Amino acid sequence: MRKHAYLIMAHSNFQQLKFLLSLLDDKRNDIFLLIDKKVEVSDKLLGALKSACDKSNLIFVERTKVNWGGYSLIKAELLLLKAAVKTDHSYSYYHLISGSDLPLFSQDYIHEFFEQNPNKIFLSLVDNEIKNNNNIAERVRYKHYFNELYGKTRGSFTGKVVNKLDRGFVRVQKLLNKDVLKKFKIKDVGYASE
């Protein structure tokens, strides 16, 4: 039996997370869960999450503080992947999802689909119109030195100041022609979900 590894990052809405775990609960799945360290989590909550899984192995991964748009998001993904790779299983697929996601199909359907599509990788990219409307190339063309700080302070007065500082640093990079895409000869940038 080829197993799947579900890698989940969660930070809120733990009732939905518990429901998600129950939907993924299947002997063919191992579930790796990283809960943002910025969130207080009680033993009672961890027990409730664990109780959602009868058939799957639920592995709690080392917690870290995660800020949207910052390197800490990548660090969290790597912690999940390392935890999954360290196991004795060779997973046929790794599914990276958030604690707010829910599967649209049953586990039987999902496993059958992947059995019929072996060794394929499934990533979704948005079309160029959406990518261009969201200025994705501009968002990665220049270094953003305050991503971690902005993620912590977004919506506050400090966040507004950090955002203005960031925009100022981007302007300086434009003036100095410090373009990351040109530097690394990247011709096109895709845009997808996590």
Side-chain angles (χ1 to χ4, degrees), residues 118-136:
N119 304 318
K120 291 184 181 175
I121 297 174
F122 296 90
L123 298 172
S124 61
L125 290 173
V126 300
D127 64 34
N128 284 333
E129 182 181 351
I130 294 171
K131 179 180 78 170
N132 294 335
N133 287 343
N134 286 292
N135 294 321
I136 299 308

Side-chain angles (χ1 to χ4, degrees), residues 45-139:
L45 174 63
L46 294 176
L49 295 174
K50 192 82 170 161
S51 73
C53 295
D54 287 332
K55 302 171 199 104
S56 295
N57 293 317
L58 175 60
I59 298 101
F60 292 100
V61 174
E62 173 191 347
R63 296 178 68 196
T64 187
K65 292 181 179 179
V66 183
N67 294 301
W68 186 88
Y71 176 75
S72 58
L73 189 65
I74 296 168
K75 181 181 174 186
E77 293 169 358
L78 290 173
L79 285 169
L80 284 162
L81 282 166
K82 284 178 185 175
V85 169
K86 275 193 225 180
T87 67
D88 294 334
H89 298 290
S90 176
Y91 298 107
S92 56
Y93 282 94
Y94 296 83
H95 307 277
L96 177 63
I97 62 176
S98 83
S100 300
D101 291 331
L102 292 175
L104 298 176
F105 298 100
S106 71
Q107 287 304 305
D108 287 336
Y109 181 92
I110 291 169
H111 280 268
E112 185 179 320
F113 174 83
F114 285 102
E115 286 293 323
Q116 292 174 2
N117 294 281
N119 304 318
K120 291 184 181 175
I121 297 174
F122 296 90
L123 298 172
S124 61
L125 290 173
V126 300
D127 64 34
N128 284 333
E129 182 181 351
I130 294 171
K131 179 180 78 170
N132 294 335
N133 287 343
N134 286 292
N135 294 321
I136 299 308
E138 284 299 305
R139 289 165 61 179

